[in-house]
Amino acid sequence: AQKITQTQPGMFVQEKEAVTLDCTYDTSDPSYGLFWYKQPSSGEMIFLIYQGSYDQQNATEGRYSLNFQKARKSANLVISASQLGDSAMYFCAMRGHNTNAGKSTFGDGTTLTVKP
Amino acid sequence: KAGVTQTPRYLIKTRGQQVTLSCSPISGHRSVSWYQQTPGQGLQFLFEYFSETQRNKGNFPGRFSGRQFSNSRSEMNVSTLELGDSALYLCASSFASGAPDTGELFFGEGSRLTVL
């Protein structure tokens, strides 16, 4: 079984500042992937970044980076230079590499509000 | 290329009725999965279809069913609607190459169902 925990229901950040969204996970799979998705008010979930459990380096995608600490089972998302358009709900998710692509486990999400 | 398309976007039904939701995946994607999103339960996996076969199913009653057609389009059906079925139903597609890598999901904007 897999479990994702996001302990921050809501976060506020000033525009242009960096923010860290927390995610911890639990799994018995020896190999797995971790994902972050963004969900604006429109409802569509947008893939942001991926980290494989055996990747030696933290993943980065533009202003997004994933702070992966395998021993602590954490996969925090860091957004640098926040923009007003970053205001949305953010979900951490995972999938064991032996699990079919469509079945991912999601956390409860963190609502991020960027203040001007 | 076109994204994941879900129809209808919004619908209102009454208890006891049944509903069918449709999802057209990204061209070339063979895996289609469905998720139910509610404020109280977060994102819950419903089922996944691959090449017209259901290969994963979440913990939902038999009132929830789905199918996938030869062109990868998928439908989900909910019979005998209950008030608790009010939710945003998200469809996601994936290339599902089988490689233990990425495998991010591409989501549609969802179908928002209200049961009165």
Side-chain angles (χ1 to χ4, degrees):
Chain A
Q2 299 169 347
K3 184 174 173 61
I4 296 281
T5 302
Q6 294 181 253
T7 57
Q8 307 154 314
M11 289 282 286
F12 291 88
V13 65
Q14 208 66 36
E15 193 179 8
K16 299 181 184 177
E17 291 186 349
V19 63
T20 299
L21 306 183
D22 294 341
C23 171
T24 58
Y25 62 91
D26 194 20
T27 181
S28 56
D29 286 297
S31 177
Y32 49 89
L34 295 154
F35 306 80
W36 277 92
Y37 292 87
K38 171 185 178 182
Q39 186 179 41
S41 56
S42 62
E44 181 183 359
M45 300 272 282
I46 302 166
F47 166 73
L48 295 177
I49 195 167
Y50 163 85
Q51 178 83 44
S53 59
Y54 285 101
D55 292 341
Q56 296 296 314
Q57 291 190 317
N58 288 339
T60 60
E61 286 288 347
R63 295 186 300 110
Y64 304 107
S65 61
L66 201 153
N67 184 358
F68 179 49
Q69 298 186 49
K70 192 171 181 179
R72 303 175 82 171
K73 293 189 174 180
S74 75
N76 298 339
L77 177 70
V78 180
I79 306 175
S80 64
S82 296
Q83 302 172 355
L84 296 178
D86 294 334
S87 292
M89 196 150 188
Y90 289 79
F91 290 91
C92 180
M94 75 175 302
R95 176 175 68 83
H97 282 155
N98 288 327
T99 304
N100 297 129
K103 187 179 180 184
S104 292
T105 300
F106 287 79
D108 290 337
T110 295
T111 300
L112 177 66
T113 303
V114 180
K115 295 180 176 180
Chain B
K1 61 184 173 183
V4 177
T5 304
Q6 290 188 247
T7 57
R9 291 290 315 282
Y10 303 91
L11 64 166
I12 300 173
K13 294 284 187 178
T14 57
R15 283 191 311 171
Q17 287 187 310
Q18 66 103 25
V19 66
T20 299
L21 309 178
S22 179
C23 173
S24 293
I26 290 172
S27 177
H29 284 191
R30 298 184 295 170
S31 166
V32 175
S33 52
W34 290 87
Y35 289 81
Q36 181 196 65
Q37 185 178 18
T38 59
Q41 298 294 320
L43 267 146
Q44 302 289 316
F45 172 76
L46 279 156
F47 29 64
E48 180 197 11
Y49 287 87
F50 183 86
S51 295
E52 302 179 64
T53 301
Q54 185 185 90
R55 65 177 185 179
N56 275 304
K57 191 177 192 308
N59 291 329
F60 279 83
R63 300 186 296 108
F64 291 81
S65 63
R67 58 178 175 168
Q68 186 180 33
F69 302 95
S70 59
N71 62 357
S72 291
R73 189 177 71 86
S74 176
E75 289 181 347
M76 69 162 282
N77 183 278
V78 188
S79 62
T80 319
L81 284 166
E82 300 177 359
L83 296 179
D85 297 333
S86 294
L88 179 67
Y89 290 88
L90 291 164
C91 169
S93 76
S94 173
F95 184 64
S97 65
D101 198 3
T102 59
E104 68 267 28
L105 299 175
F106 295 83
F107 285 85
E109 290 185 298
S111 292
R112 188 168 295 279
L113 170 65
T114 301
V115 182
L116 302 177

